[in-house]
Amino acid sequence: MKFKRPRGTNDLFGAQMERWLEVERRLSSFIRAYGYTEIRTPIFESADLFIRAVGEGTDIVSTEMYTFSDKKGRRLTLRPENTAPVMRAYLENGLHRTGGLTRFYYIGPMFRYDRPQAGRYRQFHQIGVEAIGSRNPAVDAEVIEISLGIYGTLGFPPLDVRLNSVGCPVCRPAFKEILKNELEGMKDSLCVNCGERALINPLRIFDCKECDEVKRRLPVITDHLCDECREHFVRLKLILDGLGIGFIHDPLLVRGLDYYSKTAFEILHPELGAQNALCGGGRYDGLAEDCGGVFTPAVGFSAGLERLIGTLPENFAIDGEVDEGSAYFVLLEGSVEIQALAAANELREGGGRAVVDLSGRGLKKQLKAASDGGFSFAVIIGADEMRSGEAAVKDLVSGEQEMVSFNSLASYIRNRTEEGR
Ligand code: HAM
């Protein structure tokens, strides 16, 4: 083979794909029950959108974006995340004029050029929600409840949400100055990266896995919030308590994207190694203005699907749909195709599932495909059957076989399935 899939990407098919579809189906219906509707935005956007929204100094923008020029020289980027695109779509489509709260969710691929390892890919998938148009901390609570709920609904054991407030443009600059001054005296204890970060964006130090010792000695932002941020945080914690939603205040929690203000949260998986963040989110009240729109407060989160599906509880099962009969048509010669295709259609019209084997391979292999595919019956048709007007129908569970006339194949399979239910 000359070609391989690009590093850090995956092919999904077979049983694995079925799990993905089941997870996506269950999570969509869980989220839709909260009144969130799906939004689909382009896979690529103007590079400037992410530079402005996510922030120039972030890892995502400085090293991880797939950016290219199209034939007209426009700078485009494969979306590394979907909060900025959703806000762009919200503003561009004038949804801010409708007032009230707009609740969107999305599922789709994101792209980040990072060093691939277990749980970290260059193309990965997120499911996320964005609630746009309200400053009310009750909306933060709703979003946090949903973020925990998606794991609960799939049967995960209870997980902790780590919560913090990262302040806003009123209180954060002063806190950064305080941090810078503190860090002056600790330069020798910082890693090389943080030595540089200390000057540009000292908050990033909280993200560093090497500087744990220093982090613990630094002042924390929640002791330096402005009144508005403090009240928001207090109220959010009250609502979460009132709803019985457990959280851990982690004063060292910061997020790797610049658009956050006030609430920031993450859910970590206790058994995952370095890449243990299952999901992350928070409030981004300044993003709409950064995108050139009117002030529009908003809050949301995204969950990585590879990490979620990779840690599904062992008892996770795919919900069977009601079986209306399923048959695999085994053809012993090509001349019987038309009859088989017509009979298969009849079964599908009644809600059943039917596959006609058009490969021309031998009986054994076709029968194996029938049982591997989870079909209840194999319908075997050859020249003899054509002459007699009857097909051999094999019950793939009991192994029993019966001759059934062509024009009653669909009803026979339906009835037998109903009896067995
Ligand atoms: P994020 O923390 O960058 O936030 O990503 C959210 C989740 O996506 C992570 O917790 C992780 O599960 C997954 N993820 C991120 N990068 C990778 C990767 N390279 N491979 C596999 N999974 C990955 C955001 O993207 C924000 N847009 C979240 C948000 C929504 N904030 C407000 N609304």
Side-chain angles (χ1 to χ4, degrees):
M1 235 320 261
K2 274 192 182 159
F3 302 105
K4 285 196 165 158
R5 59 173 192 265
R7 210 161 113 73
T9 64
N10 293 297
D11 298 315
L12 292 175
F13 57 92
Q16 178 73 345
M17 188 69 233
E18 294 305 310
R19 273 160 94 81
W20 274 73
L21 288 174
E22 176 74 0
V23 165
E24 291 179 7
R25 192 183 61 72
R26 283 208 222 165
L27 294 186
S28 310
S29 92
F30 177 78
I31 291 170
R32 293 176 74 86
Y34 281 83
Y36 289 71
T37 57
E38 184 172 358
I39 180 166
R40 294 191 191 183
T41 57
I43 297 290
F44 55 85
E45 298 268 356
S46 142
D48 281 342
L49 172 66
F50 300 109
I51 297 172
R52 287 296 294 275
V54 176
E56 220 148 357
T58 60
D59 288 346
I60 293 181
V61 170
S62 58
T63 60
E64 296 174 6
M65 296 213 299
Y66 281 90
T67 299
F68 58 96
S69 297
D70 73 2
K71 291 194 171 138
K72 287 268 170 69
R74 302 176 189 98
R75 299 288 288 160
L76 299 169
T77 297
L78 296 184
R79 62 182 190 194
E81 64 96 52
N82 208 24
T83 305
V86 169
M87 182 55 93
R88 195 263 317 129
Y90 173 88
L91 295 167
E92 187 174 342
N93 292 287
L95 300 178
H96 55 287
R97 286 193 288 272
T98 57
L101 186 61
T102 301
R103 291 177 166 95
F104 280 136
Y105 79 96
Y106 48 82
I107 305 180
M110 311 292 155
F111 306 85
R112 294 185 193 175
Y113 190 86
D114 202 348
R115 203 167 39 79
Q117 60 182 84
R120 187 159 74 197
Y121 305 98
R122 290 185 173 164
Q123 174 172 340
F124 60 98
H125 298 76
Q126 288 183 341
I127 184 163
V129 310
E130 311 294 348
I132 307 177
S134 170
R135 306 164 184 260
N136 188 343
V139 183
D140 307 38
E142 175 178 285
V143 165
I144 290 172
E145 182 177 278
I146 296 174
S147 74
L148 281 166
I150 64 172
Y151 301 99
T153 196
L154 296 175
F156 278 71
L159 294 167
D160 293 326
V161 60
R162 306 193 152 264
L163 181 67
N164 198 18
S165 173
V166 294
C168 71
V170 173
C171 47
R172 205 161 32 213
F175 178 67
K176 279 187 184 168
E177 284 310 309
I178 296 172
L179 263 190
K180 269 189 201 167
N181 288 337
E182 283 289 322
L183 287 167
E184 265 305 303
M186 300 182 184
K187 267 189 185 150
D188 297 341
S189 330
L190 293 174
C191 73
V192 186
N193 263 342
C194 287
E196 286 166 23
R197 280 177 186 153
L199 299 171
I200 310 161
N201 190 352
L203 278 171
R204 290 252 170 292
I205 285 172
F206 290 110
D207 242 352
C208 177
K209 297 222 156 82
E210 288 173 46
C211 293
D212 278 345
E213 182 52 36
V214 178
K215 280 193 294 197
R216 276 192 281 275
R217 286 188 277 141
L218 291 173
V220 295
I221 184 139
T222 33
D223 291 336
H224 298 270
L225 295 176
C226 61
D227 289 347
E228 194 186 306
C229 287
R230 192 177 324 106
E231 277 161 31
H232 188 95
F233 196 41
V234 168
R235 179 91 192 118
L236 170 60
K237 289 187 287 183
L238 269 176
I239 301 169
L240 291 174
D241 281 339
L243 290 170
I245 297 171
F247 62 88
I248 295 167
H249 175 202
D250 179 356
L252 302 185
L253 174 74
V254 289
R255 304 265 304 123
L257 304 95
D258 279 353
Y259 49 61
Y260 291 107
S261 57
K262 300 194 171 87
T263 311
F265 65 94
E266 268 177 8
I267 298 177
L268 306 182
H269 195 289
E271 279 148 38
L272 284 178
Q275 305 304 315
N276 62 351
L278 281 174
C279 91
R283 185 162 270 287
Y284 46 94
D285 291 347
L287 180 58
E289 283 178 313
D290 286 344
C291 295
V294 293
F295 173 75
T296 314
V299 53
F301 80 87
S302 322
L305 281 174
E306 281 78 3
R307 292 181 197 177
L308 181 154
I309 291 168
T311 53
L312 277 176
E314 271 180 27
N315 61 0
F316 177 82
I318 296 182
D319 271 353
E321 286 170 11
V322 179
D323 186 6
E324 300 288 354
S326 62
Y328 193 90
F329 286 74
V330 172
L331 307 195
L332 303 182
E333 44 199 296
S335 60
V336 301
E337 267 171 24
I338 298 177
Q339 282 74 9
L341 290 166
N345 273 341
E346 213 186 309
L347 185 60
R348 288 187 206 110
E349 277 157 20
R353 183 165 68 101
V355 167
V356 182
D357 194 315
L358 298 170
S359 67
R361 58 190 159 171
L363 171 69
K364 254 190 168 171
K365 284 194 173 159
Q366 294 193 47
L367 282 173
K368 181 170 181 326
S371 49
D372 288 352
F375 290 86
S376 310
F377 297 94
V379 178
I380 305 161
I381 314 177
D384 290 348
E385 284 79 5
M386 277 302 289
R387 269 191 297 277
S388 68
E390 289 187 324
V393 180
K394 182 173 180 166
D395 182 326
L396 290 170
V397 180
S398 68
E400 283 165 28
Q401 197 162 306
E402 242 183 287
M403 297 306 288
V404 179
S405 78
F406 279 135
N407 42 23
S408 53
L409 273 174
S411 56
Y412 172 85
I413 288 166
R414 252 195 314 276
N415 293 343
R416 286 281 310 271
T417 306
E418 232 176 79
E419 284 163 21
R421 228 183 260 146

Tab-separated table of all heavy atoms in Angstrom, residues 158-200:
chain	number	residue	atom	x	y	z
A	158	PRO	N	-19.993	8.493	38.803
A	158	PRO	CA	-20.037	9.949	38.990
A	158	PRO	C	-18.644	10.568	38.827
A	158	PRO	O	-17.654	10.040	39.333
A	158	PRO	CB	-20.509	10.105	40.435
A	158	PRO	CG	-21.170	8.817	40.761
A	158	PRO	CD	-20.518	7.756	39.935
A	159	LEU	N	-18.586	11.666	38.084
A	159	LEU	CA	-17.308	12.350	37.846
A	159	LEU	C	-17.345	13.713	38.521
A	159	LEU	O	-18.417	14.267	38.768
A	159	LEU	CB	-17.099	12.538	36.338
A	159	LEU	CG	-16.921	11.256	35.516
A	159	LEU	CD1	-17.052	11.540	34.031
A	159	LEU	CD2	-15.561	10.629	35.811
A	160	ASP	N	-16.176	14.251	38.822
A	160	ASP	CA	-16.103	15.577	39.443
A	160	ASP	C	-15.960	16.647	38.381
A	160	ASP	O	-15.232	16.460	37.408
A	160	ASP	CB	-14.853	15.683	40.328
A	160	ASP	CG	-14.941	14.770	41.528
A	160	ASP	OD1	-16.060	14.589	42.033
A	160	ASP	OD2	-13.892	14.238	41.931
A	161	VAL	N	-16.618	17.765	38.626
A	161	VAL	CA	-16.348	18.912	37.760
A	161	VAL	C	-15.465	19.869	38.561
A	161	VAL	O	-15.723	20.141	39.733
A	161	VAL	CB	-17.643	19.574	37.232
A	161	VAL	CG1	-18.532	20.077	38.318
A	161	VAL	CG2	-17.314	20.713	36.282
A	162	ARG	N	-14.373	20.286	37.926
A	162	ARG	CA	-13.467	21.255	38.566
A	162	ARG	C	-13.865	22.628	38.076
A	162	ARG	O	-14.031	22.852	36.883
A	162	ARG	CB	-12.016	20.998	38.171
A	162	ARG	CG	-11.629	19.600	38.436
A	162	ARG	CD	-10.149	19.353	38.368
A	162	ARG	NE	-9.892	18.239	39.256
A	162	ARG	CZ	-9.488	18.361	40.510
A	162	ARG	NH1	-9.208	19.547	41.010
A	162	ARG	NH2	-9.331	17.310	41.274
A	163	LEU	N	-14.020	23.527	39.025
A	163	LEU	CA	-14.621	24.817	38.698
A	163	LEU	C	-13.735	25.943	39.199
A	163	LEU	O	-13.132	25.857	40.273
A	163	LEU	CB	-15.978	24.864	39.416
A	163	LEU	CG	-16.853	26.083	39.240
A	163	LEU	CD1	-17.340	26.186	37.799
A	163	LEU	CD2	-18.063	25.994	40.186
A	164	ASN	N	-13.696	27.024	38.418
A	164	ASN	CA	-12.958	28.208	38.866
A	164	ASN	C	-13.584	29.429	38.195
A	164	ASN	O	-14.414	29.310	37.298
A	164	ASN	CB	-11.477	28.088	38.466
A	164	ASN	CG	-10.589	29.042	39.253
A	164	ASN	OD1	-10.993	29.547	40.307
A	164	ASN	ND2	-9.394	29.280	38.752
A	165	SER	N	-13.173	30.606	38.652
A	165	SER	CA	-13.505	31.819	37.926
A	165	SER	C	-12.186	32.409	37.470
A	165	SER	O	-11.237	32.490	38.260
A	165	SER	CB	-14.235	32.821	38.820
A	165	SER	OG	-14.388	34.031	38.099
A	166	VAL	N	-12.095	32.762	36.188
A	166	VAL	CA	-10.836	33.323	35.683
A	166	VAL	C	-10.912	34.842	35.535
A	166	VAL	O	-10.089	35.454	34.868
A	166	VAL	CB	-10.399	32.658	34.350
A	166	VAL	CG1	-10.056	31.196	34.579
A	166	VAL	CG2	-11.480	32.796	33.281
A	167	GLY	N	-11.948	35.436	36.159
A	167	GLY	CA	-12.044	36.892	36.147
A	167	GLY	C	-12.450	37.441	34.792
A	167	GLY	O	-12.886	36.695	33.909
A	168	CYS	N	-12.296	38.730	34.617
A	168	CYS	CA	-12.736	39.375	33.381
A	168	CYS	C	-11.750	40.509	33.057
A	168	CYS	O	-10.820	40.756	33.821
A	168	CYS	CB	-14.152	39.914	33.577
A	168	CYS	SG	-14.205	41.333	34.689
A	169	PRO	N	-11.947	41.220	31.952
A	169	PRO	CA	-10.995	42.282	31.605
A	169	PRO	C	-10.923	43.401	32.647
A	169	PRO	O	-10.006	44.225	32.614
A	169	PRO	CB	-11.531	42.820	30.275
A	169	PRO	CG	-12.283	41.679	29.696
A	169	PRO	CD	-12.904	40.961	30.857
A	170	VAL	N	-11.863	43.427	33.598
A	170	VAL	CA	-11.767	44.443	34.660
A	170	VAL	C	-10.765	43.996	35.727
A	170	VAL	O	-9.880	44.761	36.118
A	170	VAL	CB	-13.155	44.694	35.317
A	170	VAL	CG1	-13.035	45.612	36.533
A	170	VAL	CG2	-14.125	45.246	34.287
A	171	CYS	N	-10.891	42.748	36.175
A	171	CYS	CA	-10.022	42.319	37.282
A	171	CYS	C	-8.765	41.550	36.864
A	171	CYS	O	-7.787	41.509	37.610
A	171	CYS	CB	-10.813	41.503	38.304
A	171	CYS	SG	-11.863	40.211	37.618
A	172	ARG	N	-8.767	40.965	35.667
A	172	ARG	CA	-7.637	40.109	35.308
A	172	ARG	C	-6.318	40.870	35.121
A	172	ARG	O	-5.278	40.406	35.583
A	172	ARG	CB	-7.969	39.260	34.089
A	172	ARG	CG	-7.152	37.998	34.037
A	172	ARG	CD	-7.726	36.939	33.141
A	172	ARG	NE	-8.427	37.500	32.000
A	172	ARG	CZ	-9.499	36.940	31.443
A	172	ARG	NH1	-9.985	35.820	31.923
A	172	ARG	NH2	-10.087	37.494	30.409
A	173	PRO	N	-6.327	42.036	34.454
A	173	PRO	CA	-5.044	42.733	34.256
A	173	PRO	C	-4.328	43.033	35.575
A	173	PRO	O	-3.109	42.830	35.678
A	173	PRO	CB	-5.455	44.037	33.553
A	173	PRO	CG	-6.749	43.725	32.897
A	173	PRO	CD	-7.434	42.738	33.788
A	174	ALA	N	-5.079	43.457	36.579
A	174	ALA	CA	-4.447	43.765	37.867
A	174	ALA	C	-3.872	42.488	38.484
A	174	ALA	O	-2.769	42.492	39.041
A	174	ALA	CB	-5.470	44.389	38.810
A	175	PHE	N	-4.614	41.382	38.343
A	175	PHE	CA	-4.117	40.113	38.899
A	175	PHE	C	-2.839	39.672	38.173
A	175	PHE	O	-1.893	39.170	38.792
A	175	PHE	CB	-5.188	39.026	38.807
A	175	PHE	CG	-4.709	37.696	39.311
A	175	PHE	CD1	-4.413	37.511	40.652
A	175	PHE	CD2	-4.522	36.629	38.433
A	175	PHE	CE1	-3.931	36.278	41.121
A	175	PHE	CE2	-4.052	35.397	38.893
A	175	PHE	CZ	-3.758	35.227	40.243
A	176	LYS	N	-2.802	39.899	36.855
A	176	LYS	CA	-1.603	39.527	36.091
A	176	LYS	C	-0.384	40.277	36.608
A	176	LYS	O	0.719	39.723	36.702
A	176	LYS	CB	-1.802	39.841	34.602
A	176	LYS	CG	-2.596	38.787	33.866
A	176	LYS	CD	-2.583	39.096	32.375
A	176	LYS	CE	-3.433	38.136	31.588
A	176	LYS	NZ	-3.648	38.576	30.203
A	177	GLU	N	-0.577	41.568	36.940
A	177	GLU	CA	0.540	42.360	37.476
A	177	GLU	C	1.014	41.782	38.800
A	177	GLU	O	2.208	41.658	39.051
A	177	GLU	CB	0.116	43.831	37.666
A	177	GLU	CG	0.037	44.622	36.360
A	177	GLU	CD	1.308	44.475	35.505
A	177	GLU	OE1	2.412	44.692	36.052
A	177	GLU	OE2	1.183	44.130	34.309
A	178	ILE	N	0.052	41.423	39.656
A	178	ILE	CA	0.408	40.823	40.944
A	178	ILE	C	1.230	39.550	40.721
A	178	ILE	O	2.259	39.324	41.354
A	178	ILE	CB	-0.877	40.503	41.765
A	178	ILE	CG1	-1.613	41.808	42.101
A	178	ILE	CG2	-0.567	39.697	43.012
A	178	ILE	CD1	-2.973	41.623	42.739
A	179	LEU	N	0.746	38.719	39.751
A	179	LEU	CA	1.456	37.470	39.448
A	179	LEU	C	2.872	37.743	38.966
A	179	LEU	O	3.829	37.108	39.399
A	179	LEU	CB	0.714	36.720	38.341
A	179	LEU	CG	-0.248	35.614	38.710
A	179	LEU	CD1	-0.673	34.868	37.444
A	179	LEU	CD2	0.379	34.622	39.683
A	180	LYS	N	2.986	38.709	38.027
A	180	LYS	CA	4.307	39.030	37.466
A	180	LYS	C	5.280	39.398	38.577
A	180	LYS	O	6.422	38.938	38.594
A	180	LYS	CB	4.188	40.207	36.490
A	180	LYS	CG	3.943	39.774	35.069
A	180	LYS	CD	4.065	40.964	34.123
A	180	LYS	CE	3.353	40.675	32.823
A	180	LYS	NZ	3.151	41.841	31.985
A	181	ASN	N	4.816	40.232	39.502
A	181	ASN	CA	5.684	40.652	40.597
A	181	ASN	C	6.118	39.471	41.453
A	181	ASN	O	7.274	39.341	41.813
A	181	ASN	CB	4.965	41.678	41.489
A	181	ASN	CG	4.841	43.006	40.760
A	181	ASN	OD1	5.617	43.279	39.844
A	181	ASN	ND2	3.869	43.818	41.154
A	182	GLU	N	5.147	38.583	41.730
A	182	GLU	CA	5.474	37.390	42.522
A	182	GLU	C	6.516	36.536	41.798
A	182	GLU	O	7.453	36.030	42.412
A	182	GLU	CB	4.217	36.526	42.721
A	182	GLU	CG	3.254	37.046	43.760
A	182	GLU	CD	3.794	36.901	45.163
A	182	GLU	OE1	4.439	35.872	45.439
A	182	GLU	OE2	3.577	37.835	45.963
A	183	LEU	N	6.314	36.390	40.474
A	183	LEU	CA	7.171	35.497	39.704
A	183	LEU	C	8.600	36.017	39.582
A	183	LEU	O	9.535	35.242	39.389
A	183	LEU	CB	6.560	35.264	38.315
A	183	LEU	CG	5.333	34.352	38.331
A	183	LEU	CD1	4.579	34.420	37.007
A	183	LEU	CD2	5.741	32.903	38.603
A	184	GLU	N	8.743	37.331	39.670
A	184	GLU	CA	10.087	37.937	39.650
A	184	GLU	C	11.025	37.208	40.606
A	184	GLU	O	12.127	36.833	40.243
A	184	GLU	CB	9.998	39.402	40.122
A	184	GLU	CG	9.868	40.428	39.019
A	184	GLU	CD	10.974	40.330	37.990
A	184	GLU	OE1	12.147	40.436	38.383
A	184	GLU	OE2	10.646	40.130	36.803
A	185	GLY	N	10.518	36.978	41.804
A	185	GLY	CA	11.361	36.370	42.835
A	185	GLY	C	11.494	34.858	42.703
A	185	GLY	O	12.191	34.227	43.483
A	186	MET	N	10.767	34.253	41.735
A	186	MET	CA	10.796	32.776	41.637
A	186	MET	C	11.407	32.311	40.322
A	186	MET	O	11.325	31.131	39.989
A	186	MET	CB	9.354	32.234	41.695
A	186	MET	CG	8.607	32.582	42.946
A	186	MET	SD	6.978	31.804	42.857
A	186	MET	CE	6.242	32.432	44.344
A	187	LYS	N	12.004	33.224	39.576
A	187	LYS	CA	12.500	32.910	38.226
A	187	LYS	C	13.303	31.619	38.160
A	187	LYS	O	13.126	30.812	37.241
A	187	LYS	CB	13.367	34.066	37.715
A	187	LYS	CG	12.579	35.077	36.911
A	187	LYS	CD	13.515	36.056	36.273
A	187	LYS	CE	12.752	37.159	35.570
A	187	LYS	NZ	13.481	38.396	35.548
A	188	ASP	N	14.154	31.406	39.145
A	188	ASP	CA	15.049	30.244	39.100
A	188	ASP	C	14.304	28.929	39.235
A	188	ASP	O	14.798	27.883	38.814
A	188	ASP	CB	16.098	30.347	40.226
A	188	ASP	CG	16.964	31.578	40.022
A	188	ASP	OD1	16.970	32.083	38.878
A	188	ASP	OD2	17.598	32.023	41.002
A	189	SER	N	13.110	28.966	39.828
A	189	SER	CA	12.376	27.705	40.015
A	189	SER	C	11.459	27.387	38.832
A	189	SER	O	10.796	26.351	38.837
A	189	SER	CB	11.521	27.768	41.285
A	189	SER	OG	12.078	28.586	42.249
A	190	LEU	N	11.403	28.268	37.823
A	190	LEU	CA	10.481	28.026	36.708
A	190	LEU	C	11.140	27.201	35.604
A	190	LEU	O	12.355	27.262	35.414
A	190	LEU	CB	10.046	29.363	36.094
A	190	LEU	CG	9.184	30.264	36.968
A	190	LEU	CD1	8.965	31.609	36.274
A	190	LEU	CD2	7.838	29.608	37.246
A	191	CYS	N	10.307	26.425	34.853
A	191	CYS	CA	10.841	25.718	33.693
A	191	CYS	C	11.133	26.751	32.586
A	191	CYS	O	10.677	27.881	32.671
A	191	CYS	CB	9.863	24.635	33.209
A	191	CYS	SG	8.402	25.281	32.383
A	192	VAL	N	11.854	26.326	31.544
A	192	VAL	CA	12.276	27.269	30.494
A	192	VAL	C	11.070	27.984	29.876
A	192	VAL	O	11.056	29.210	29.730
A	192	VAL	CB	13.044	26.522	29.375
A	192	VAL	CG1	13.615	27.510	28.359
A	192	VAL	CG2	14.112	25.651	29.979
A	193	ASN	N	10.047	27.168	29.553
A	193	ASN	CA	8.839	27.730	28.939
A	193	ASN	C	8.214	28.806	29.798
A	193	ASN	O	7.845	29.883	29.332
A	193	ASN	CB	7.803	26.635	28.756
A	193	ASN	CG	7.843	26.096	27.362
A	193	ASN	OD1	8.394	26.747	26.474
A	193	ASN	ND2	7.281	24.921	27.172
A	194	CYS	N	8.069	28.496	31.077
A	194	CYS	CA	7.389	29.422	31.975
A	194	CYS	C	8.229	30.666	32.227
A	194	CYS	O	7.692	31.738	32.490
A	194	CYS	CB	7.026	28.739	33.289
A	194	CYS	SG	5.669	27.585	33.083
A	195	GLY	N	9.560	30.533	32.124
A	195	GLY	CA	10.419	31.701	32.263
A	195	GLY	C	9.989	32.771	31.266
A	195	GLY	O	9.915	33.960	31.586
A	196	GLU	N	9.675	32.310	30.021
A	196	GLU	CA	9.230	33.260	28.983
A	196	GLU	C	7.782	33.673	29.207
A	196	GLU	O	7.424	34.835	29.083
A	196	GLU	CB	9.352	32.620	27.605
A	196	GLU	CG	10.779	32.515	27.141
A	196	GLU	CD	10.910	31.593	25.940
A	196	GLU	OE1	9.919	31.401	25.223
A	196	GLU	OE2	12.020	31.061	25.761
A	197	ARG	N	6.954	32.669	29.559
A	197	ARG	CA	5.523	32.948	29.738
A	197	ARG	C	5.288	33.991	30.820
A	197	ARG	O	4.358	34.786	30.738
A	197	ARG	CB	4.796	31.692	30.193
A	197	ARG	CG	4.484	30.720	29.111
A	197	ARG	CD	3.845	29.529	29.770
A	197	ARG	NE	3.618	28.459	28.822
A	197	ARG	CZ	3.557	27.185	29.146
A	197	ARG	NH1	3.684	26.824	30.392
A	197	ARG	NH2	3.338	26.274	28.244
A	198	ALA	N	6.147	33.958	31.844
A	198	ALA	CA	5.942	34.826	33.004
A	198	ALA	C	5.789	36.271	32.575
A	198	ALA	O	5.041	37.037	33.177
A	198	ALA	CB	7.102	34.673	33.973
A	199	LEU	N	6.507	36.640	31.495
A	199	LEU	CA	6.450	38.030	31.056
A	199	LEU	C	5.239	38.307	30.177
A	199	LEU	O	4.592	39.348	30.280
A	199	LEU	CB	7.718	38.373	30.264
A	199	LEU	CG	9.004	38.228	31.074
A	199	LEU	CD1	10.214	38.374	30.171
A	199	LEU	CD2	9.019	39.287	32.187
A	200	ILE	N	4.911	37.349	29.277
A	200	ILE	CA	3.845	37.614	28.293
A	200	ILE	C	2.465	37.356	28.912
A	200	ILE	O	1.625	38.239	28.965
A	200	ILE	CB	4.020	36.741	27.032
A	200	ILE	CG1	5.464	36.863	26.527
A	200	ILE	CG2	3.034	37.138	25.952
A	200	ILE	CD1	5.902	35.769	25.607
